[in-house]
Amino acid sequence: HPNSDQIAFGYDLDGPFNLYCLRLDGSNQPVRLTHNPNRQFPKSWSAGYLLYEQESAGSGTDIWALPDRGEPFVVAQSEFEERDPALSPDGAWLAYQSDESGSPEIYLMAFPKGSRRRLGPGMGPTWTQKGELLYRNGEQMMSLLAGNSQPKTLFGIKVKGGRRSWEVTPDGT
């Protein structure tokens, strides 16, 4: 959680693998956040929203949002796989990965509802605190600065696998 006093996690305590949270000081029992027959996995908690992936028959993995106050709603859903949601620090933009083209690509959209833009091949989007979007395209680390229309290559990186295996420092350096 943005104020660092809670953690969200997927758990199958009372049925399907849904979202729960727990205070980090251990002062409470897990609190169930969602009640859904589909499996759910928390991915990002910022700007008043917990973003998560939900596996559904017929539409694969989709991106949903649970506001701090309110009901969950779908953000990106199709017959393709939408994964790895990352919300910008100001909550205005969502970056995510989709395999709509047949291979992983990064999409950017106004949050919570807005048109989306394909940035190109890539995976594992994340944001710096300064609002710079970072993601991996093969062996290249890419960057998109606010106000720029095209991503640029930051540096080459030797990594294996399809999961994000890096993180940005808190100060964004």
Side-chain angles (χ1 to χ4, degrees):
H1 193 266
N3 65 14
S4 300
D5 68 348
Q6 297 181 64
I7 185 170
F9 55 97
Y11 192 37
D12 60 355
L13 178 66
D14 293 320
F17 208 80
N18 277 187
L19 302 179
Y20 289 78
C21 74
L22 186 65
R23 294 184 57 80
L24 291 175
D25 65 9
S27 65
N28 69 337
Q29 296 296 313
V31 174
R32 189 169 185 169
L33 301 175
T34 57
H35 295 273
N36 194 289
N38 299 303
R39 291 169 35 109
Q40 301 170 327
F41 302 92
K43 293 295 178 174
S44 176
W45 204 346
S46 64
Y49 294 90
L50 174 58
L51 298 176
Y52 60 97
E53 294 174 359
Q54 180 171 296
E55 296 175 350
S56 304
S59 67
T61 302
D62 303 311
I63 298 171
W64 285 69
L66 176 62
D68 283 348
R69 290 177 180 78
E71 296 297 316
F73 61 92
V74 68
V75 177
Q77 183 178 45
S78 73
E79 66 270 20
F80 305 102
E81 298 290 314
E82 291 85 21
R83 296 184 176 273
D84 292 331
L87 193 57
S88 63
D90 64 2
W93 297 98
L94 174 71
Y96 66 94
Q97 175 183 316
S98 175
D99 67 353
E100 182 175 335
S101 69
S103 61
E105 293 194 301
I106 301 297
Y107 289 83
L108 183 66
M109 65 177 273
F111 183 82
K113 299 286 183 196
S115 60
R116 67 184 186 138
R117 176 177 146 213
R118 186 178 72 81
L119 298 180
M123 57 189 4
T126 193
W127 295 88
T128 69
Q129 288 302 312
K130 296 176 183 175
E132 179 180 11
L133 175 63
L134 303 175
Y135 61 94
R136 192 183 91 193
N137 176 0
E139 293 187 349
Q140 302 293 316
M141 186 61 70
M142 306 299 289
S143 165
L144 181 68
L145 295 171
N148 288 2
S149 60
Q150 293 298 318
K152 70 174 187 169
T153 301
L154 288 179
F155 53 85
I157 185 171
K158 295 282 186 185
V159 293
K160 293 183 180 182
R163 295 194 176 271
R164 193 174 79 172
S165 56
W166 50 274
E167 185 57 75
V168 179
T169 60
D171 67 1
T173 59

